[in-house]
């Protein structure tokens, strides 16, 4: 039988979404092979069996680990400007909200983004996506949220569409017009919701420009009533929804995510245990973002807090947190938060796919998308020990080579 490509290596693939605290179901084949036809995986099995297939391309990575392509389910990679100097304020002890009050934070990125050209936005975002791919990422979610007016947010969605078209990896688009209240709507949050957020949802839906709608639900940004209005509206339009919930304070975000059965609730650093239990009961994924607290210079949390949930890991790449390596996020989750290496691998593959409502990625399995990553390591344990340059040797998305580019 004829196939397009055989990839030989040590297959390590989670098979099912993992509930934190339970035993992971993982396929391990020491001398394994992934057979690919077009954009899909045709078979995964022993090299000795599959080597008989007729393939014009055979990629021999014997001894190296082949995993599903990694998935970053939460980034804010579309922005202009540079906020690296906020670090100096953090070193003086200032918190995220205090920095925002002094003219930093989201609003300062909004100024820079509103001034940037379409081409510049597409170009810088593509560069960032390229950097993500160097650690094995083949799917990335990117949010808008730095224009905060109808025209600007639509432009950002169009820029994302362009990034998606030009990128070698899969890009999922999220409308986050409810990221902050811009200066011109100061003190008029409901007006902003009505005149900007709901309008951008209408446009995104009509023009199929986004898969998800997100809200930054946090005191000082959007309260739970506003978040509920926005998310219910998005759901009624057939869009999927997720939220930034209980990042700095517990304002009932996790509970709301459960009530609305969202695809995921993200951040959750300050979520109550009742909120998290509700999420588990309703099957809402928890997207944990180890770098967010690291970049705000706050102590790491224990991953055990999320036991019972389907936990995904993301970078949360944003102007306040320019950490672009998902394998480093795994490293941090293991060393600082106490996650098991295999849990971290599930969190950036099969669980992250669930957090993005993707049915056919995140697992090396016949019929799934031909997305894979090959690392020069022995197993997932060694993978999470590696910092600095990524041990990535090769990656593929939809059967097309991503790295080396
Ligand atoms: O996920 N929390 C809200 N949004 C981002 C930060 C955005 C920014 O500071 O520009 C986050 O951490
Ligand atoms: Fe975020």
């Amino acid at each position: 039988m004829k196939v397009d490509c055989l990839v030989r290596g040590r297959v390590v693939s989670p098979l099912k979404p993992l509930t934190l605290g339970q035993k992971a179901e993982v396929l391990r084949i020491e001398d394994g092979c992934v057979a690919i036809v077009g954009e899909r995986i045709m078979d995964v099995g022993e090299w000795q069996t599959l080597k008989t297939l007729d393939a014009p391309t055979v990629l021999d990575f014997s001894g190296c680990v082949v995993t599903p392509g990694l998935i970053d389910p939460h980034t804010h990679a579309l922005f202009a400007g540079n906020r690296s100097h906020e670090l100096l304020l953090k070193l003086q002890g200032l918190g995220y909200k205090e920095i925002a009050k002094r003219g930093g934070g989201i609003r300062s990125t909004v100024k820079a983004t509103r001034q940037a050209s379409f081409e510049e936005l597409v170009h810088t975002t593509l560069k960032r996506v390229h950097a993500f791919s160097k650690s094995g990422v083949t799917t990335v979610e990117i949010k808008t949220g730095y224009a905060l007016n109808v025209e600007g947010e639509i432009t950002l969605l169009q820029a994302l569409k362009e990034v998606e078209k030009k990128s070698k990896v899969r890009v999922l688009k999220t409308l986050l017009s409810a990221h902050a209240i811009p200066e011109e709507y100061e003190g008029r949050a409901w007006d902003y919701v009505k005149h900007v957020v709901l309008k951008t949802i209408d446009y995104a839906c009509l023009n199929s420009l986004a898969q998800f709608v997100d809200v930054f639900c946090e005191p000082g940004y959007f309260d739970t009533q506003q978040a509920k209005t926005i998310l219910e509206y998005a759901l009624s339009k057939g869009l999927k929804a997720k939220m930034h919930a209980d990042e700095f304070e517990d304002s009932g975000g996790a509970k709301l995510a459960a009530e609305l059965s969202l695809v995921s609730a993200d951040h959750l650093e300050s979520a109550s245990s009742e909120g998290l239990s509700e999420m588990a009961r309703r099957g809402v994924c928890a997207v944990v973002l180890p770098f967010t607290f690291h970049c705000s210079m706050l102590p790491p949390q224990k991953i055990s807090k999320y036991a019972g949930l389907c936990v995904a890991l993301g970078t949360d790449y944003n102007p306040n947190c320019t950490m672009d390596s998902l394998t480093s996020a795994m490293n941090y989750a293991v060393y600082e938060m106490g996650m098991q290496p295999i849990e971290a691998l599930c969190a950036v593959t099969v669980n992250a796919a669930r957090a993005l409502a993707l049915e056919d990625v995140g697992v090396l399995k016949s019929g799934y998308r031909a997305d894979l990553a090959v690392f020069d390591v022995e197993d997932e344990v060694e993978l999470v020990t590696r910092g600095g340059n990524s041990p990535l040797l090769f990656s593929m998305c939809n059967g097309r080579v991503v790295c080396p580019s």
Side-chain angles (χ1 to χ4, degrees), residues 13-18 22-28 342 346 350:
S13 173
L15 289 174
K16 290 218 172 95
L18 173 68
Q22 294 186 359
K23 196 172 172 334
E25 278 183 53
V26 185
L27 174 70
R28 290 181 192 273
I342 191 61
C346 291
V350 65

Side-chain angles (χ1 to χ4, degrees), residues 225-368:
Q225 272 312 308
Q226 290 152 356
K228 190 170 181 199
T229 302
I230 296 163
L231 295 167
E232 279 181 335
Y233 190 73
L235 292 168
S236 77
K237 294 266 165 186
L239 287 161
K240 296 190 177 73
K242 39 179 67 231
M243 70 193 281
H244 281 64
D246 305 329
E247 179 174 347
F248 296 103
E249 288 174 52
D250 175 22
S251 64
K255 277 190 189 156
L256 178 61
E259 184 189 324
L260 299 178
S261 293
L262 301 186
V263 177
S264 75
D266 304 28
H267 283 287
L268 300 166
E269 291 89 344
S270 308
S272 65
S273 51
E274 302 82 61
L276 294 175
S277 307
E278 284 291 293
M279 277 176 54
R281 220 166 49 78
R282 302 294 291 261
V284 180
C285 286
V287 178
V288 172
L289 305 161
F291 290 143
T292 313
F293 261 42
H294 170 68
C295 290
S296 287
M297 295 187 157
L298 293 165
Q301 299 194 320
K302 285 287 155 225
I303 202 73
S304 51
K305 161 174 180 175
Y306 304 104
L309 283 150
C310 171
V311 174
L313 288 174
T315 57
D316 195 26
Y317 185 96
N318 72 71
N320 174 52
C321 172
T322 46
M323 307 288 279
D324 55 20
S325 163
L326 192 57
T327 45
S328 298
M330 294 164 77
N331 170 285
Y332 187 97
V334 171
Y335 281 83
E336 303 293 328
M337 301 176 78
M339 207 174 201
Q340 293 295 321
I342 191 61
E343 293 170 344
L345 182 65
C346 291
V348 298
T349 54
V350 65
N351 285 17
R354 238 195 87 186
L356 292 177
L358 293 170
E359 305 273 332
D360 56 358
V361 297
V363 179
L364 296 177
K365 187 172 168 181
S366 161
Y368 274 50

Side-chain angles (χ1 to χ4, degrees), residues 51-70:
K51 72 177 185 188
T52 53
L53 293 169
D54 178 10
T57 309
V58 177
L59 301 168
D60 191 345
F61 293 109
S62 322
C64 299
V65 164
V66 184
T67 69
L70 307 191

Side-chain angles (χ1 to χ4, degrees), residues 74-76 79 83 86 96 100 104-110 143 145-146 176 179 214-218 221 244 247-248 266-267 269 289 292-293 296 316-321:
H74 185 131
T75 82
H76 306 251
F79 63 87
R83 291 192 358 233
E86 288 181 6
Y96 182 82
I106 296 172
R107 279 186 182 175
S108 91
T109 302
V110 168
K143 303 171 196 298
Y146 291 111
L176 179 57
H179 196 193
D214 192 346
V215 178
F216 185 19
C217 181
E218 180 78 24
Y221 293 82
H244 281 64
E247 179 174 347
F248 296 103
D266 304 28
H267 283 287
E269 291 89 344
L289 305 161
T292 313
F293 261 42
S296 287
D316 195 26
Y317 185 96
N318 72 71
N320 174 52
C321 172

